[in-house]
Structure formats: C-alpha cells, structure tokens
Amino acid sequence: MGESDRGSQASARKRADARRNERSLLDAAGAAFLAAGVDVPVRDIAARAGVGVGTIYRHFPTRADLIVAVYRHQVEACAEAGPTLLATSDTPYAALARWIDLFVDFLVTKHGLAEALQSDDATFEALHAYFLDRLVPVCARLLDAAATAGEVRPDVAAYELMRGVGNLCIGAGRDPRYEARRLVGLLIAGLRRYP
C-alpha cells in the first residue's frame, strides 16, 4: 500500500469520524431542545454531547445555525425511518403509527424553530419547503402501503394527515392538561378500517 493510499484512508476515517461526531452533537442538541426548548443554554447541549462549548460554536457559530442543523438532521432521520419501519414492522399500519410517533417528536422541535426564527424569515420558509419535500412522500408511501393492505381508509392524503398531526401538536408541553400524543393516537386509530 502506497503512502497516498494510507493518507486517503486516514482522511476518509477523519471525515467519517467528523460526520459521526456532528450527528452525535445534533442528536444531543435535539434531545436538549425537546426537553427544555430551543433556548436551552449551549453549555447544557455541550454537556449532553460530551464536548466543550467551543466545539459547538466552532461547528455552529450562532444558535440559529444550530437550530437549523438540528431541524435538517431530524427531517432526514424522520425521512429515513419511514422505509425502515415499513420493512421491519409487522404491518404497514404499525409502521405508519410508529412513524407518526417519531413525527410528533420532531414537531416539538419544529414548533420551537418557528418561534426562534420567526415564521416570516426566509430561512424558515426554505426549511418548511425542505420539510414538505422530504416528509410528505414518506408519509404517502406509508399511507399507501397501509391502504393497500386494507388497514386504513384509502381517502386520506399524506399532507392532510401531517397537517392534522401538526395542528394537534401546537402548544404541546405548555399545558399539562393537554396530551397531544394521546390525541394524535386517537387520530391515527381513526384511520383504521374495520371489517
């Protein structure tokens, strides 16, 4: 093996390590946002991630940069989960229900993002389009599979379902008497087709 081959392998390992570290940091930030909102202190995120505050600022110079990165990371995780759940769940309905549960987790951070970036901000608009482009087709595939299996009504559109779930999640966590996840569960159960 030549010197350039070893250098290429070492460089590839460093890039893979950097991607893995960034994913870990984004996961920690997402968990912190879920637990305490997008205004959680950066030192708390750093502690969760097991890194110094400087490491976070080196990757994400502003809070908005971090929030946007977490948002994109979570959109991708949600998009990638759909096909995996469809392949590994007992039924397409079970895959859909589990995916919606993941989507609810994501929405808590998304609503915080909207507040943090202001809904008229061009960054937010671009992220919302990205969100729709990535997640509506995943939801549609899950709905189609469940409808084809005769498990859910065939007349529900993915965008319509996602919008309904999103609306049920608005304000989740602000009122201890309101259980958004329970209401979303009732909505998803209402999709079932019974013989």
Short mmCIF file of all heavy atoms in Angstrom, two decimals, residues 67-136:
data_model
loop_
_atom_site.label_atom_id
_atom_site.label_comp_id
_atom_site.label_asym_id
_atom_site.label_seq_id
_atom_site.Cartn_x
_atom_site.Cartn_y
_atom_site.Cartn_z
N ILE A 67 -29.90 25.45 15.42
CA ILE A 67 -31.31 25.06 15.32
C ILE A 67 -31.62 24.56 13.92
O ILE A 67 -32.27 23.52 13.76
CB ILE A 67 -32.23 26.25 15.71
CG1 ILE A 67 -32.07 26.58 17.19
CG2 ILE A 67 -33.69 25.93 15.38
CD1 ILE A 67 -32.71 27.90 17.59
N VAL A 68 -31.14 25.25 12.91
CA VAL A 68 -31.37 24.84 11.52
C VAL A 68 -30.73 23.48 11.26
O VAL A 68 -31.32 22.61 10.62
CB VAL A 68 -30.86 25.92 10.53
CG1 VAL A 68 -30.80 25.39 9.10
CG2 VAL A 68 -31.74 27.15 10.61
N ALA A 69 -29.52 23.28 11.76
CA ALA A 69 -28.83 21.99 11.56
C ALA A 69 -29.59 20.86 12.25
O ALA A 69 -29.73 19.77 11.69
CB ALA A 69 -27.40 22.07 12.08
N VAL A 70 -30.07 21.11 13.46
CA VAL A 70 -30.86 20.08 14.17
C VAL A 70 -32.14 19.78 13.39
O VAL A 70 -32.51 18.62 13.21
CB VAL A 70 -31.20 20.54 15.61
CG1 VAL A 70 -32.26 19.65 16.25
CG2 VAL A 70 -29.94 20.54 16.46
N TYR A 71 -32.78 20.81 12.91
CA TYR A 71 -34.02 20.66 12.13
C TYR A 71 -33.76 19.77 10.90
O TYR A 71 -34.47 18.80 10.67
CB TYR A 71 -34.50 22.05 11.72
CG TYR A 71 -35.77 22.06 10.90
CD1 TYR A 71 -37.00 22.12 11.53
CD2 TYR A 71 -35.73 22.04 9.52
CE1 TYR A 71 -38.17 22.17 10.80
CE2 TYR A 71 -36.89 22.08 8.78
CZ TYR A 71 -38.12 22.14 9.42
OH TYR A 71 -39.27 22.18 8.68
N ARG A 72 -32.73 20.11 10.13
CA ARG A 72 -32.42 19.31 8.92
C ARG A 72 -32.06 17.87 9.29
O ARG A 72 -32.47 16.93 8.63
CB ARG A 72 -31.27 19.95 8.15
CG ARG A 72 -31.68 21.19 7.39
CD ARG A 72 -30.49 21.74 6.58
NE ARG A 72 -30.95 22.67 5.59
CZ ARG A 72 -31.43 22.34 4.40
NH1 ARG A 72 -31.50 21.08 4.04
NH2 ARG A 72 -31.85 23.26 3.56
N HIS A 73 -31.30 17.72 10.36
CA HIS A 73 -30.90 16.40 10.83
C HIS A 73 -32.13 15.57 11.21
O HIS A 73 -32.23 14.39 10.87
CB HIS A 73 -29.95 16.57 12.03
CG HIS A 73 -29.52 15.31 12.69
ND1 HIS A 73 -28.71 14.38 12.07
CD2 HIS A 73 -29.78 14.82 13.93
CE1 HIS A 73 -28.48 13.38 12.90
NE2 HIS A 73 -29.13 13.62 14.03
N GLN A 74 -33.07 16.20 11.89
CA GLN A 74 -34.27 15.49 12.30
C GLN A 74 -35.20 15.19 11.13
O GLN A 74 -35.85 14.14 11.11
CB GLN A 74 -35.00 16.26 13.39
CG GLN A 74 -34.24 16.24 14.70
CD GLN A 74 -34.95 16.99 15.80
OE1 GLN A 74 -35.78 17.86 15.57
NE2 GLN A 74 -34.63 16.63 17.04
N VAL A 75 -35.26 16.09 10.15
CA VAL A 75 -36.04 15.81 8.95
C VAL A 75 -35.47 14.57 8.26
O VAL A 75 -36.22 13.66 7.87
CB VAL A 75 -36.05 17.02 7.97
CG1 VAL A 75 -36.57 16.61 6.60
CG2 VAL A 75 -36.90 18.15 8.54
N GLU A 76 -34.16 14.52 8.12
CA GLU A 76 -33.53 13.37 7.47
C GLU A 76 -33.76 12.09 8.25
O GLU A 76 -34.05 11.04 7.67
CB GLU A 76 -32.03 13.62 7.27
CG GLU A 76 -31.74 14.61 6.17
CD GLU A 76 -32.41 14.26 4.84
OE1 GLU A 76 -32.33 13.10 4.39
OE2 GLU A 76 -33.04 15.16 4.26
N ALA A 77 -33.65 12.16 9.56
CA ALA A 77 -33.88 10.96 10.39
C ALA A 77 -35.31 10.47 10.22
O ALA A 77 -35.56 9.27 10.10
CB ALA A 77 -33.57 11.26 11.85
N CYS A 78 -36.26 11.39 10.21
CA CYS A 78 -37.68 11.03 10.04
C CYS A 78 -37.92 10.46 8.65
O CYS A 78 -38.62 9.46 8.48
CB CYS A 78 -38.53 12.28 10.29
SG CYS A 78 -40.22 11.95 10.81
N ALA A 79 -37.30 11.05 7.64
CA ALA A 79 -37.46 10.57 6.26
C ALA A 79 -36.86 9.17 6.11
O ALA A 79 -37.46 8.29 5.47
CB ALA A 79 -36.80 11.54 5.28
N GLU A 80 -35.70 8.94 6.70
CA GLU A 80 -35.04 7.63 6.60
C GLU A 80 -35.77 6.56 7.41
O GLU A 80 -35.71 5.37 7.07
CB GLU A 80 -33.59 7.75 7.05
CG GLU A 80 -32.74 8.57 6.10
CD GLU A 80 -31.39 8.96 6.67
OE1 GLU A 80 -31.04 8.51 7.79
OE2 GLU A 80 -30.68 9.73 5.99
N ALA A 81 -36.46 6.96 8.45
CA ALA A 81 -37.16 5.99 9.30
C ALA A 81 -38.34 5.34 8.60
O ALA A 81 -38.65 4.17 8.85
CB ALA A 81 -37.62 6.65 10.59
N GLY A 82 -39.01 6.07 7.70
CA GLY A 82 -40.20 5.54 7.05
C GLY A 82 -39.97 4.21 6.34
O GLY A 82 -40.63 3.20 6.67
N PRO A 83 -39.06 4.14 5.39
CA PRO A 83 -38.81 2.88 4.70
C PRO A 83 -38.33 1.77 5.64
O PRO A 83 -38.69 0.60 5.47
CB PRO A 83 -37.74 3.23 3.66
CG PRO A 83 -37.86 4.70 3.46
CD PRO A 83 -38.33 5.25 4.78
N THR A 84 -37.51 2.14 6.61
CA THR A 84 -37.02 1.15 7.58
C THR A 84 -38.18 0.56 8.37
O THR A 84 -38.27 -0.66 8.55
CB THR A 84 -35.98 1.78 8.51
OG1 THR A 84 -34.90 2.28 7.72
CG2 THR A 84 -35.46 0.77 9.52
N LEU A 85 -39.06 1.42 8.87
CA LEU A 85 -40.21 0.94 9.64
C LEU A 85 -41.13 0.08 8.77
O LEU A 85 -41.65 -0.94 9.24
CB LEU A 85 -40.99 2.13 10.22
CG LEU A 85 -40.30 2.86 11.35
CD1 LEU A 85 -41.00 4.17 11.66
CD2 LEU A 85 -40.22 1.98 12.60
N LEU A 86 -41.32 0.47 7.53
CA LEU A 86 -42.16 -0.31 6.63
C LEU A 86 -41.58 -1.71 6.40
O LEU A 86 -42.32 -2.69 6.35
CB LEU A 86 -42.33 0.43 5.30
CG LEU A 86 -43.47 0.01 4.40
CD1 LEU A 86 -44.81 -0.02 5.12
CD2 LEU A 86 -43.55 0.94 3.20
N ALA A 87 -40.27 -1.79 6.32
CA ALA A 87 -39.61 -3.08 6.09
C ALA A 87 -39.55 -3.95 7.34
O ALA A 87 -39.51 -5.18 7.23
CB ALA A 87 -38.19 -2.84 5.58
N THR A 88 -39.57 -3.34 8.53
CA THR A 88 -39.35 -4.13 9.75
C THR A 88 -40.57 -4.28 10.65
O THR A 88 -40.54 -5.08 11.58
CB THR A 88 -38.22 -3.49 10.59
OG1 THR A 88 -38.58 -2.15 10.93
CG2 THR A 88 -36.90 -3.50 9.83
N SER A 89 -41.63 -3.55 10.38
CA SER A 89 -42.82 -3.64 11.23
C SER A 89 -43.69 -4.82 10.82
O SER A 89 -43.64 -5.27 9.68
CB SER A 89 -43.64 -2.35 11.14
OG SER A 89 -42.89 -1.26 11.65
N ASP A 90 -44.50 -5.28 11.76
CA ASP A 90 -45.39 -6.42 11.48
C ASP A 90 -46.42 -6.09 10.41
O ASP A 90 -46.79 -6.96 9.63
CB ASP A 90 -46.12 -6.85 12.77
CG ASP A 90 -45.18 -7.47 13.78
OD1 ASP A 90 -44.09 -7.96 13.39
OD2 ASP A 90 -45.52 -7.45 14.98
N THR A 91 -46.90 -4.85 10.39
CA THR A 91 -47.91 -4.44 9.41
C THR A 91 -47.61 -3.03 8.93
O THR A 91 -46.94 -2.26 9.63
CB THR A 91 -49.33 -4.44 10.03
OG1 THR A 91 -49.38 -3.41 11.03
CG2 THR A 91 -49.70 -5.79 10.63
N PRO A 92 -48.11 -2.66 7.76
CA PRO A 92 -47.94 -1.27 7.32
C PRO A 92 -48.58 -0.28 8.28
O PRO A 92 -48.04 0.81 8.49
CB PRO A 92 -48.63 -1.26 5.95
CG PRO A 92 -48.54 -2.65 5.46
CD PRO A 92 -48.68 -3.50 6.70
N TYR A 93 -49.72 -0.63 8.88
CA TYR A 93 -50.36 0.26 9.86
C TYR A 93 -49.43 0.49 11.06
O TYR A 93 -49.29 1.62 11.54
CB TYR A 93 -51.71 -0.29 10.33
CG TYR A 93 -52.32 0.57 11.41
CD1 TYR A 93 -52.99 1.75 11.08
CD2 TYR A 93 -52.20 0.24 12.76
CE1 TYR A 93 -53.54 2.56 12.07
CE2 TYR A 93 -52.72 1.05 13.74
CZ TYR A 93 -53.40 2.21 13.40
OH TYR A 93 -53.92 3.02 14.37
N ALA A 94 -48.79 -0.56 11.54
CA ALA A 94 -47.86 -0.43 12.66
C ALA A 94 -46.70 0.49 12.28
O ALA A 94 -46.26 1.31 13.09
CB ALA A 94 -47.35 -1.80 13.10
N ALA A 95 -46.22 0.37 11.04
CA ALA A 95 -45.14 1.24 10.56
C ALA A 95 -45.61 2.69 10.52
O ALA A 95 -44.90 3.60 10.96
CB ALA A 95 -44.67 0.79 9.18
N LEU A 96 -46.82 2.91 10.01
CA LEU A 96 -47.38 4.26 9.94
C LEU A 96 -47.53 4.85 11.34
O LEU A 96 -47.13 5.98 11.59
CB LEU A 96 -48.74 4.23 9.24
CG LEU A 96 -49.51 5.56 9.23
CD1 LEU A 96 -48.77 6.61 8.42
CD2 LEU A 96 -50.93 5.33 8.69
N ALA A 97 -48.09 4.08 12.26
CA ALA A 97 -48.30 4.57 13.63
C ALA A 97 -46.97 4.92 14.30
O ALA A 97 -46.85 5.96 14.96
CB ALA A 97 -49.07 3.53 14.45
N ARG A 98 -45.97 4.09 14.12
CA ARG A 98 -44.65 4.35 14.72
C ARG A 98 -44.00 5.58 14.09
O ARG A 98 -43.40 6.41 14.77
CB ARG A 98 -43.75 3.11 14.58
CG ARG A 98 -42.38 3.28 15.17
CD ARG A 98 -42.43 3.49 16.69
NE ARG A 98 -41.12 3.85 17.17
CZ ARG A 98 -40.83 4.96 17.83
NH1 ARG A 98 -41.78 5.82 18.14
NH2 ARG A 98 -39.61 5.24 18.20
N TRP A 99 -44.15 5.71 12.76
CA TRP A 99 -43.58 6.86 12.07
C TRP A 99 -44.25 8.16 12.54
O TRP A 99 -43.58 9.15 12.78
CB TRP A 99 -43.70 6.71 10.55
CG TRP A 99 -42.97 7.78 9.81
CD1 TRP A 99 -41.62 7.81 9.53
CD2 TRP A 99 -43.52 8.99 9.28
NE1 TRP A 99 -41.33 8.98 8.85
CE2 TRP A 99 -42.47 9.72 8.69
CE3 TRP A 99 -44.80 9.52 9.25
CZ2 TRP A 99 -42.66 10.94 8.07
CZ3 TRP A 99 -45.00 10.75 8.62
CH2 TRP A 99 -43.93 11.44 8.05
N ILE A 100 -45.55 8.12 12.70
CA ILE A 100 -46.27 9.31 13.19
C ILE A 100 -45.78 9.66 14.59
O ILE A 100 -45.62 10.84 14.93
CB ILE A 100 -47.80 9.09 13.15
CG1 ILE A 100 -48.30 9.03 11.70
CG2 ILE A 100 -48.53 10.16 13.95
CD1 ILE A 100 -48.19 10.34 10.91
N ASP A 101 -45.49 8.66 15.41
CA ASP A 101 -44.96 8.91 16.74
C ASP A 101 -43.61 9.64 16.65
O ASP A 101 -43.36 10.59 17.39
CB ASP A 101 -44.82 7.58 17.49
CG ASP A 101 -44.72 7.76 18.98
OD1 ASP A 101 -45.48 8.56 19.55
OD2 ASP A 101 -43.86 7.07 19.59
N LEU A 102 -42.75 9.21 15.72
CA LEU A 102 -41.47 9.89 15.50
C LEU A 102 -41.69 11.31 14.98
O LEU A 102 -40.99 12.25 15.36
CB LEU A 102 -40.61 9.11 14.50
CG LEU A 102 -40.10 7.75 14.94
CD1 LEU A 102 -39.44 7.03 13.78
CD2 LEU A 102 -39.16 7.88 16.12
N PHE A 103 -42.68 11.45 14.11
CA PHE A 103 -43.03 12.75 13.55
C PHE A 103 -43.48 13.70 14.66
O PHE A 103 -43.10 14.88 14.66
CB PHE A 103 -44.12 12.56 12.49
CG PHE A 103 -44.55 13.80 11.79
CD1 PHE A 103 -43.65 14.57 11.07
CD2 PHE A 103 -45.88 14.19 11.82
CE1 PHE A 103 -44.06 15.72 10.40
CE2 PHE A 103 -46.30 15.33 11.15
CZ PHE A 103 -45.39 16.10 10.45
N VAL A 104 -44.23 13.20 15.63
CA VAL A 104 -44.65 14.04 16.76
C VAL A 104 -43.42 14.52 17.54
O VAL A 104 -43.34 15.69 17.90
CB VAL A 104 -45.63 13.27 17.68
CG1 VAL A 104 -45.85 14.01 19.00
CG2 VAL A 104 -46.96 13.05 16.96
N ASP A 105 -42.46 13.64 17.78
CA ASP A 105 -41.23 14.06 18.46
C ASP A 105 -40.56 15.19 17.69
O ASP A 105 -40.11 16.18 18.27
CB ASP A 105 -40.24 12.89 18.58
CG ASP A 105 -40.67 11.85 19.58
OD1 ASP A 105 -41.53 12.14 20.44
OD2 ASP A 105 -40.15 10.72 19.51
N PHE A 106 -40.50 15.03 16.39
CA PHE A 106 -39.88 16.04 15.54
C PHE A 106 -40.64 17.38 15.61
O PHE A 106 -40.03 18.44 15.66
CB PHE A 106 -39.84 15.54 14.09
CG PHE A 106 -39.59 16.61 13.08
CD1 PHE A 106 -38.33 17.15 12.94
CD2 PHE A 106 -40.61 17.09 12.30
CE1 PHE A 106 -38.10 18.16 12.02
CE2 PHE A 106 -40.39 18.09 11.38
CZ PHE A 106 -39.13 18.63 11.24
N LEU A 107 -41.96 17.31 15.64
CA LEU A 107 -42.76 18.53 15.61
C LEU A 107 -42.53 19.43 16.82
O LEU A 107 -42.61 20.65 16.69
CB LEU A 107 -44.25 18.19 15.50
CG LEU A 107 -44.68 17.68 14.13
CD1 LEU A 107 -46.13 17.23 14.17
CD2 LEU A 107 -44.47 18.72 13.06
N VAL A 108 -42.23 18.84 17.95
CA VAL A 108 -41.96 19.66 19.14
C VAL A 108 -40.78 20.59 18.87
O VAL A 108 -40.83 21.78 19.17
CB VAL A 108 -41.70 18.76 20.36
CG1 VAL A 108 -41.25 19.59 21.56
CG2 VAL A 108 -42.94 17.96 20.70
N THR A 109 -39.73 20.06 18.26
CA THR A 109 -38.58 20.89 17.90
C THR A 109 -38.94 21.86 16.79
O THR A 109 -38.53 23.02 16.80
CB THR A 109 -37.39 20.02 17.47
OG1 THR A 109 -37.08 19.14 18.54
CG2 THR A 109 -36.18 20.86 17.16
N LYS A 110 -39.73 21.41 15.83
CA LYS A 110 -40.11 22.27 14.70
C LYS A 110 -40.87 23.50 15.17
O LYS A 110 -40.60 24.61 14.72
CB LYS A 110 -40.97 21.49 13.70
CG LYS A 110 -41.42 22.33 12.52
CD LYS A 110 -42.33 21.52 11.61
CE LYS A 110 -42.78 22.31 10.42
NZ LYS A 110 -43.63 23.44 10.73
N HIS A 111 -41.79 23.32 16.10
CA HIS A 111 -42.54 24.48 16.59
C HIS A 111 -41.61 25.45 17.32
O HIS A 111 -41.76 26.65 17.20
CB HIS A 111 -43.71 24.04 17.47
CG HIS A 111 -44.80 23.39 16.70
ND1 HIS A 111 -45.43 23.99 15.63
CD2 HIS A 111 -45.36 22.17 16.81
CE1 HIS A 111 -46.33 23.18 15.13
NE2 HIS A 111 -46.30 22.06 15.82
N GLY A 112 -40.64 24.94 18.04
CA GLY A 112 -39.66 25.81 18.68
C GLY A 112 -38.82 26.55 17.64
O GLY A 112 -38.47 27.71 17.82
N LEU A 113 -38.52 25.87 16.54
CA LEU A 113 -37.76 26.50 15.47
C LEU A 113 -38.53 27.67 14.89
O LEU A 113 -37.98 28.74 14.66
CB LEU A 113 -37.45 25.49 14.38
CG LEU A 113 -36.81 26.05 13.11
CD1 LEU A 113 -35.38 26.45 13.39
CD2 LEU A 113 -36.87 25.04 11.99
N ALA A 114 -39.82 27.47 14.64
CA ALA A 114 -40.64 28.54 14.07
C ALA A 114 -40.60 29.77 14.97
O ALA A 114 -40.48 30.89 14.49
CB ALA A 114 -42.07 28.06 13.88
N GLU A 115 -40.70 29.54 16.27
CA GLU A 115 -40.66 30.67 17.20
C GLU A 115 -39.28 31.32 17.22
O GLU A 115 -39.17 32.54 17.28
CB GLU A 115 -41.01 30.18 18.61
CG GLU A 115 -42.45 29.72 18.73
CD GLU A 115 -42.72 28.96 20.02
OE1 GLU A 115 -41.84 28.93 20.91
OE2 GLU A 115 -43.80 28.38 20.13
N ALA A 116 -38.23 30.51 17.11
CA ALA A 116 -36.87 31.04 17.19
C ALA A 116 -36.49 31.84 15.95
O ALA A 116 -35.80 32.85 16.04
CB ALA A 116 -35.87 29.92 17.40
N LEU A 117 -36.93 31.39 14.79
CA LEU A 117 -36.53 32.05 13.55
C LEU A 117 -37.54 33.07 13.03
O LEU A 117 -37.25 33.76 12.07
CB LEU A 117 -36.29 31.00 12.45
CG LEU A 117 -35.10 30.08 12.65
CD1 LEU A 117 -35.01 29.10 11.50
CD2 LEU A 117 -33.81 30.89 12.74
N GLN A 118 -38.72 33.13 13.63
CA GLN A 118 -39.81 33.98 13.16
C GLN A 118 -40.35 33.40 11.85
O GLN A 118 -39.60 33.16 10.92
CB GLN A 118 -39.37 35.43 12.93
CG GLN A 118 -38.62 36.07 14.07
CD GLN A 118 -39.40 36.01 15.38
OE1 GLN A 118 -40.58 36.22 15.41
NE2 GLN A 118 -38.70 35.70 16.47
N SER A 119 -41.63 33.20 11.79
CA SER A 119 -42.23 32.50 10.65
C SER A 119 -42.12 33.27 9.35
O SER A 119 -42.28 32.70 8.29
CB SER A 119 -43.68 32.17 10.95
OG SER A 119 -44.41 33.34 11.17
N ASP A 120 -41.80 34.56 9.37
CA ASP A 120 -41.66 35.30 8.12
C ASP A 120 -40.20 35.33 7.64
O ASP A 120 -39.90 35.90 6.60
CB ASP A 120 -42.19 36.72 8.26
CG ASP A 120 -41.46 37.52 9.33
OD1 ASP A 120 -40.75 36.92 10.16
OD2 ASP A 120 -41.62 38.76 9.33
N ASP A 121 -39.31 34.69 8.34
CA ASP A 121 -37.91 34.62 7.98
C ASP A 121 -37.75 33.72 6.74
O ASP A 121 -38.31 32.63 6.67
CB ASP A 121 -37.13 34.04 9.17
CG ASP A 121 -35.63 34.05 8.96
OD1 ASP A 121 -35.17 33.54 7.92
OD2 ASP A 121 -34.92 34.53 9.85
N ALA A 122 -36.95 34.15 5.78
CA ALA A 122 -36.73 33.38 4.55
C ALA A 122 -36.11 32.01 4.86
O ALA A 122 -36.39 31.03 4.18
CB ALA A 122 -35.84 34.16 3.59
N THR A 123 -35.28 31.94 5.89
CA THR A 123 -34.68 30.66 6.28
C THR A 123 -35.77 29.68 6.68
O THR A 123 -35.74 28.51 6.29
CB THR A 123 -33.71 30.86 7.46
OG1 THR A 123 -32.72 31.80 7.08
CG2 THR A 123 -33.06 29.56 7.87
N PHE A 124 -36.74 30.15 7.44
CA PHE A 124 -37.83 29.27 7.87
C PHE A 124 -38.64 28.79 6.67
O PHE A 124 -38.99 27.62 6.58
CB PHE A 124 -38.73 29.97 8.88
CG PHE A 124 -39.86 29.10 9.33
CD1 PHE A 124 -39.65 28.07 10.22
CD2 PHE A 124 -41.14 29.28 8.81
CE1 PHE A 124 -40.69 27.24 10.61
CE2 PHE A 124 -42.18 28.46 9.20
CZ PHE A 124 -41.96 27.44 10.10
N GLU A 125 -38.93 29.68 5.74
CA GLU A 125 -39.71 29.29 4.56
C GLU A 125 -38.98 28.21 3.76
O GLU A 125 -39.60 27.24 3.32
CB GLU A 125 -39.99 30.51 3.68
CG GLU A 125 -41.02 31.44 4.27
CD GLU A 125 -41.27 32.66 3.40
OE1 GLU A 125 -41.06 32.58 2.17
OE2 GLU A 125 -41.68 33.68 3.96
N ALA A 126 -37.68 28.37 3.56
CA ALA A 126 -36.90 27.37 2.82
C ALA A 126 -36.89 26.04 3.57
O ALA A 126 -37.01 24.97 2.96
CB ALA A 126 -35.48 27.87 2.59
N LEU A 127 -36.77 26.09 4.89
CA LEU A 127 -36.78 24.85 5.68
C LEU A 127 -38.14 24.17 5.64
O LEU A 127 -38.23 22.95 5.61
CB LEU A 127 -36.38 25.14 7.12
CG LEU A 127 -34.91 25.41 7.35
CD1 LEU A 127 -34.67 25.84 8.78
CD2 LEU A 127 -34.08 24.18 7.01
N HIS A 128 -39.19 24.97 5.64
CA HIS A 128 -40.53 24.38 5.57
C HIS A 128 -40.73 23.67 4.23
O HIS A 128 -41.28 22.56 4.20
CB HIS A 128 -41.60 25.45 5.79
CG HIS A 128 -42.97 24.87 5.90
ND1 HIS A 128 -43.36 24.08 6.96
CD2 HIS A 128 -44.04 24.93 5.08
CE1 HIS A 128 -44.61 23.69 6.79
NE2 HIS A 128 -45.04 24.18 5.65
N ALA A 129 -40.25 24.25 3.15
CA ALA A 129 -40.34 23.60 1.83
C ALA A 129 -39.53 22.31 1.83
O ALA A 129 -39.97 21.28 1.30
CB ALA A 129 -39.86 24.55 0.74
N TYR A 130 -38.36 22.34 2.44
CA TYR A 130 -37.50 21.15 2.55
C TYR A 130 -38.22 20.05 3.34
O TYR A 130 -38.25 18.89 2.95
CB TYR A 130 -36.19 21.57 3.24
CG TYR A 130 -35.27 20.44 3.60
CD1 TYR A 130 -34.54 19.78 2.63
CD2 TYR A 130 -35.10 20.07 4.93
CE1 TYR A 130 -33.67 18.75 2.98
CE2 TYR A 130 -34.23 19.07 5.28
CZ TYR A 130 -33.52 18.40 4.30
OH TYR A 130 -32.67 17.39 4.65
N PHE A 131 -38.82 20.45 4.44
CA PHE A 131 -39.59 19.55 5.28
C PHE A 131 -40.69 18.85 4.47
O PHE A 131 -40.85 17.63 4.50
CB PHE A 131 -40.16 20.39 6.44
CG PHE A 131 -41.35 19.84 7.15
CD1 PHE A 131 -41.20 18.89 8.14
CD2 PHE A 131 -42.63 20.30 6.87
CE1 PHE A 131 -42.29 18.40 8.83
CE2 PHE A 131 -43.73 19.82 7.55
CZ PHE A 131 -43.56 18.86 8.54
N LEU A 132 -41.46 19.63 3.73
CA LEU A 132 -42.55 19.06 2.92
C LEU A 132 -42.01 18.14 1.82
O LEU A 132 -42.53 17.04 1.61
CB LEU A 132 -43.40 20.17 2.31
CG LEU A 132 -44.23 20.99 3.29
CD1 LEU A 132 -44.91 22.15 2.56
CD2 LEU A 132 -45.24 20.14 4.02
N ASP A 133 -40.97 18.60 1.13
CA ASP A 133 -40.40 17.81 0.04
C ASP A 133 -39.87 16.46 0.52
O ASP A 133 -39.96 15.46 -0.20
CB ASP A 133 -39.25 18.57 -0.65
CG ASP A 133 -39.73 19.76 -1.45
OD1 ASP A 133 -40.94 19.87 -1.72
OD2 ASP A 133 -38.87 20.59 -1.81
N ARG A 134 -39.32 16.42 1.72
CA ARG A 134 -38.73 15.17 2.24
C ARG A 134 -39.76 14.28 2.94
O ARG A 134 -39.71 13.07 2.81
CB ARG A 134 -37.60 15.50 3.23
CG ARG A 134 -36.39 16.08 2.60
CD ARG A 134 -35.65 15.10 1.68
NE ARG A 134 -35.02 14.07 2.47
CZ ARG A 134 -35.00 12.77 2.16
NH1 ARG A 134 -35.60 12.35 1.07
NH2 ARG A 134 -34.41 11.90 2.94
N LEU A 135 -40.71 14.86 3.69
CA LEU A 135 -41.56 14.04 4.54
C LEU A 135 -42.92 13.67 3.95
O LEU A 135 -43.43 12.59 4.26
CB LEU A 135 -41.74 14.70 5.91
CG LEU A 135 -40.45 14.87 6.71
CD1 LEU A 135 -40.75 15.44 8.08
CD2 LEU A 135 -39.67 13.57 6.82
N VAL A 136 -43.50 14.51 3.12
CA VAL A 136 -44.81 14.16 2.55
C VAL A 136 -44.73 12.86 1.74
O VAL A 136 -45.58 11.98 1.91
CB VAL A 136 -45.42 15.34 1.75
CG1 VAL A 136 -46.64 14.89 0.97
CG2 VAL A 136 -45.78 16.49 2.69
#
